[in-house]
Amino acid sequence: SFSDLAVMVNDCSGKMGGSVAEAAIGAGLQLVPVCLTGPGMGRSFSIQGVNVEAVDSRHREGVIDHVLKEYPYVVVVDYTLPAAVNGNAEFYCSRGLPFVMGTTGGDSEKLIEDVLQSGVYSVVAPQMGKQVVAFQAAMSIMAEQFPGAFSGYKLQVIESHQSTKVDTSGTAKAIISSFQKLGLDFDMEEIEMVRDSKRQIEEMKVPEEHLNGHAFHTYRVVSPDGMVNFEFQHNVCGRSIYAEGAVDAVLFLAKKIRERTDKKLYNMIDVLREGNMR
Ligand code: NAD
């Protein structure tokens, strides 16, 4: 059992962090009632009856002193901002805090180097949706096993996200690289990004209440003569898939810490391989 396990979510006053905190409480885990937030953003609030104090990250050393004293068996989840990724990871490493990094962006090579050097347990996962990661892995296995199987076919990629997402999806890029190995000629520039709400509702069939939080991807593969058509699609509404994945990653990491495994850096594929842990 994980009765002494505690989860600290930075920043649970943010959108993703808030969802993770709810999912952690929903899974019966103990939420640390303190978290780190962006400079000047400190405040108190309540998540499902738990009063949480979000403290300005400039005071992080003192906050962690307190947390480690009260909750020695803590795992941190980080859903902050791309600009904070490397600084936060360095900090967790320096304090020996095991962590799950869900925040995208930053220098990912440096992140991995820092984690390996520190010997801290961590899961790094720019895509925490377990089922999406499983699909991504399946496409990668197909590409390895059957290189060129779709050569000559044409690929069309359309992705729709909330209008605040400016960059192209990292998940789409990973899946396209598998399609390229399957023989499809495709340039990342050809990805069609839909950010216009009218098109999202009418064409992509995004429910209106999820315009500000969704990830809809369609990959269409058509034979040269147009007689054969494949369509791969994953449409995600809201944030719960990423929050649930983060809770799974926490449980996974707690298990690895308890087993004192030599391997310390993991990704979502490792979490998937472990099977269902709850
Ligand atoms: P958000 O803006 O709602 O929340 C981010 C919070 O981080 C803010 O409250 C901000 O004050 C805080 N913050 C900034 N710097 C900080 C620091 N140094 N220490 C602690 N807190 C700090 O954003 P969001 O929608 O919750 O997204 C957060 C991140 O999660 C983004 O990078 C997004 O791309 C990523 N994301 C990843 C996945 C995944 O599956 N891995 C899924 C969804 C979103």
Side-chain angles (χ1 to χ4, degrees):
S1 98
F2 294 111
S3 57
D4 47 349
L5 172 65
V7 188
M8 177 185 199
V9 184
N10 299 329
D11 167 8
C12 59
S13 71
K15 291 187 288 291
M16 261 319 305
S19 300
V20 174
E22 274 176 31
I25 294 169
L29 294 174
Q30 184 178 194
L31 178 71
V32 173
V34 183
C35 76
L36 298 173
T37 188
M41 304 287 285
R43 65 188 178 95
S44 304
F45 58 101
S46 163
I47 295 181
Q48 293 188 340
V50 180
N51 291 318
V52 182
E53 183 80 30
V55 183
D56 187 321
S57 62
R58 286 173 293 193
H59 306 301
R60 62 192 185 180
E61 295 286 355
V63 169
I64 294 304
D65 287 341
H66 165 77
V67 168
L68 282 172
K69 210 167 131 213
E70 297 286 319
Y71 309 91
Y73 189 35
V74 67
V75 171
V76 171
V77 176
D78 189 294
Y79 267 115
T80 58
L81 292 175
V85 170
N86 292 105
N88 284 7
E90 271 174 43
F91 174 65
Y92 304 143
C93 289
S94 77
R95 299 300 312 256
L97 284 166
F99 68 94
V100 172
M101 181 57 78
T103 314
T104 54
D107 182 340
S108 51
E109 270 171 39
K110 183 176 186 309
L111 169 63
I112 289 187
E113 228 170 79
D114 289 345
V115 171
L116 288 175
Q117 251 181 29
S118 72
V120 154
Y121 282 91
S122 85
V123 173
V124 177
Q127 169 60 265
M128 289 247 220
K130 273 202 311 183
Q131 295 74 8
V132 176
V133 174
F135 169 66
Q136 200 177 310
M139 296 310 292
S140 159
I141 293 164
M142 175 151 90
E144 260 166 47
Q145 297 276 313
F146 314 123
F150 284 90
S151 70
Y153 278 51
K154 280 240 154 352
L155 173 64
Q156 186 197 9
V157 181
I158 306 182
E159 55 94 330
S160 173
H161 289 87
Q162 59 280 1
S163 59
T164 47
K165 182 171 174 66
V166 285
D167 52 336
T168 25
S169 150
T171 300
K173 286 186 188 160
I175 288 170
I176 288 165
S177 78
S178 293
F179 278 122
Q180 288 168 331
K181 290 183 195 122
L182 285 162
L184 290 152
D185 194 15
F186 190 86
D187 195 291
M188 295 295 174
E189 310 269 283
E190 295 171 64
I191 301 174
E192 199 176 329
M193 295 162 65
V194 181
R195 298 290 182 272
D196 168 62
S197 59
K198 193 168 178 292
R199 262 193 87 189
Q200 290 179 324
I201 293 171
E202 286 171 9
E203 211 176 297
M204 307 292 292
K205 312 288 176 209
V206 178
E208 204 166 338
E209 67 270 31
H210 294 298
L211 282 177
N212 63 5
H214 69 275
F216 278 34
H217 294 204
T218 300
Y219 311 85
R220 223 169 262 134
V221 177
V222 184
S223 68
D225 59 4
M227 303 290 275
V228 183
N229 178 21
F230 283 78
E231 208 168 280
F232 303 84
Q233 188 173 78
H234 49 101
N235 291 348
V236 173
C237 287
R239 302 185 170 85
S240 60
I241 187 176
Y242 314 115
E244 294 299 337
V247 170
D248 284 317
V250 167
L251 293 172
F252 170 89
L253 213 50
K255 192 163 175 275
K256 297 295 150 190
I257 295 167
R258 208 161 267 188
E259 293 167 357
R260 297 170 194 254
T261 55
D262 290 335
K263 183 173 158 72
K264 298 202 167 145
L265 172 64
Y266 297 94
N267 60 29
M268 250 1 233
I269 305 243
D270 299 311
V271 176
L272 278 165
R273 286 216 172 96
E274 195 76 20
N276 204 356
M277 288 166 296
R278 50 174 166 147

